[in-house]
């Protein structure tokens, strides 16, 4: 049974953030709100926790995962960012954008696309996420709390295109209480800031080639299109 931590949505309590941080450092898997969807996450550097996230989501090891970084400068630690990619990202972060980039050696193989050696990184604009990232000092995995059994009857709008290079967010239709109940026995920690699940996905930009490509239109895709 998961432990629920209640946080203020705009000014998360420091002590509670520290308690969640301690749990993550001990290898906990959590359910938490982001600026797009509720996500399942863990410390990027906790391999057993990464494996549990994959088990919960029923993802094979060739399906890459997204993770959150606190700032654009931090992204460069985990990905190779070209000058052109940096200029685009500078205009869009923080916000609801996932950037596909060549991974550095600091990104665990369990997170990368094994063929392309790429990774998906986001810089969120959400107080709870930013507070957790600052306290933990490591990136946090962010894959949607949508589970395989949710697919039946689900709208196809907003889903990841077939063959996309990233497992991040998917659309669904479930209340916050239902979501917590469903994941209560699967995660160790539930972070509750009082927000209801949003099913508006992030926009994905592939910045691995010579030209940027929007591979999924999500929140803010029109803004991304002006720079891509």
């Amino acid at each position: 049974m998961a432990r629920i931590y209640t946080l203020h949505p705009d000014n998360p309590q420091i002590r509670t953030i520290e308690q969640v941080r301690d749990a993550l450092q001990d290898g906990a898997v959590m359910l938490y709100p982001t600026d797009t969807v509720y996500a399942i996450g863990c410390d990027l550097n906790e391999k057993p926790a990464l494996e549990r996230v994959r088990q919960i989501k029923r993802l094979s090891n060739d399906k890459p995962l997204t993770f959150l970084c606190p700032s654009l400068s931090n992204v460069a630690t985990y990905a190779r960012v070209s000058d052109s990619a940096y200029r685009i990202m500078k205009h869009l972060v923080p916000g609801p954008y996932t950037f596909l980039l060549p991974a550095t050696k600091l990104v665990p193989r369990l997170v990368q696309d094994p063929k392309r050696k790429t990774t998906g990184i986001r810089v969120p604009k959400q107080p709870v996420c930013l507070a957790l990232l600052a306290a933990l000092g490591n990136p946090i995995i962010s894959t949607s709390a949508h589970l395989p059994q949710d697919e039946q009857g689900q709208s196809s709008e907003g889903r990841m295109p077939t063959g996309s290079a990233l497992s991040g967010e998917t659309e669904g239709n479930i209340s916050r209480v239902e979501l917590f109940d469903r994941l209560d026995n699967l995660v160790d920690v539930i972070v509750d800031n009082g927000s209801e699940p949003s099913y508006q996905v992030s926009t994905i930009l592939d910045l691995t080639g010579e030209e940027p490509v929007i591979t999924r239109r999500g929140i803010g895709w029109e803004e991304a299109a002006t720079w891509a």
Side-chain angles (χ1 to χ4, degrees):
M1 187 172 185
R3 180 170 181 178
I4 298 178
Y5 293 90
T6 302
L7 287 166
H8 190 281
D10 300 317
N11 298 291
Q13 303 90 321
I14 295 175
R15 178 56 185 154
T16 307
I17 287 290
E18 290 175 343
Q19 290 174 326
V20 177
R21 174 205 63 197
D22 292 346
L24 293 174
Q25 289 176 335
D26 287 338
V29 172
M30 69 173 173
L31 172 67
Y32 68 108
T34 72
D35 52 354
T36 54
V37 299
Y38 265 84
I40 298 170
C42 65
D43 186 329
L44 179 71
N45 294 329
E46 289 291 330
K47 184 177 178 180
L50 288 173
E51 292 172 342
R52 284 186 56 204
V53 170
R54 287 195 171 280
Q55 291 170 0
I56 292 169
K57 290 283 293 186
R58 299 181 189 175
L59 294 173
S60 61
N61 285 340
D62 63 352
K63 193 71 171 177
L65 293 167
T66 301
F67 60 88
L68 306 181
C69 283
S71 68
L72 182 54
S73 60
N74 192 255
V75 170
T77 302
Y78 299 94
R80 296 192 300 275
V81 183
S82 66
D83 290 342
S84 59
Y86 179 84
R87 285 193 293 271
I88 293 170
M89 296 170 68
K90 186 177 180 181
H91 288 288
L92 297 176
V93 301
Y97 302 98
T98 299
F99 304 102
L100 300 183
L101 294 161
T104 68
K105 293 181 179 180
L106 291 180
V107 179
R109 291 184 180 181
L110 278 173
V111 177
Q112 298 181 36
D113 182 318
K115 296 180 180 179
R116 301 181 66 200
K117 306 299 181 184
T118 58
T119 192
I121 303 179
R122 290 194 56 212
V123 179
K125 188 179 182 180
Q126 207 261 22
V128 170
C129 289
L130 293 174
L132 287 172
L133 287 164
L136 184 62
N138 290 327
I140 296 174
I141 291 296
S142 179
T143 182
S144 78
H146 164 81
L147 299 178
Q149 61 263 34
D150 296 333
E151 290 183 357
Q152 188 173 4
Q154 185 180 1
S155 169
S156 61
E157 183 180 355
R159 280 190 184 174
M160 185 73 68
T162 301
S164 175
L166 187 67
S167 174
E169 305 128 353
T170 48
E171 195 179 31
N173 185 17
I174 187 174
S175 72
R176 176 169 124 266
V177 172
E178 291 171 327
L179 181 63
F180 290 1
D181 286 345
R182 184 171 297 183
L183 288 167
D184 186 48
N185 292 321
L186 297 177
V187 300
D188 307 300
V189 168
I190 294 175
V191 177
D192 182 8
N193 71 344
S195 64
E196 289 298 321
S198 168
Y199 300 104
Q200 298 184 68
V201 297
S202 68
T203 292
I204 298 176
L205 290 93
D206 187 336
L207 301 179
T208 60
E210 293 184 2
E211 296 294 332
V213 178
I214 296 177
T215 62
R216 183 178 68 189
R217 293 183 178 183
I219 303 174
W221 74 267
E222 297 95 338
E223 175 69 12
T226 65
W227 301 106

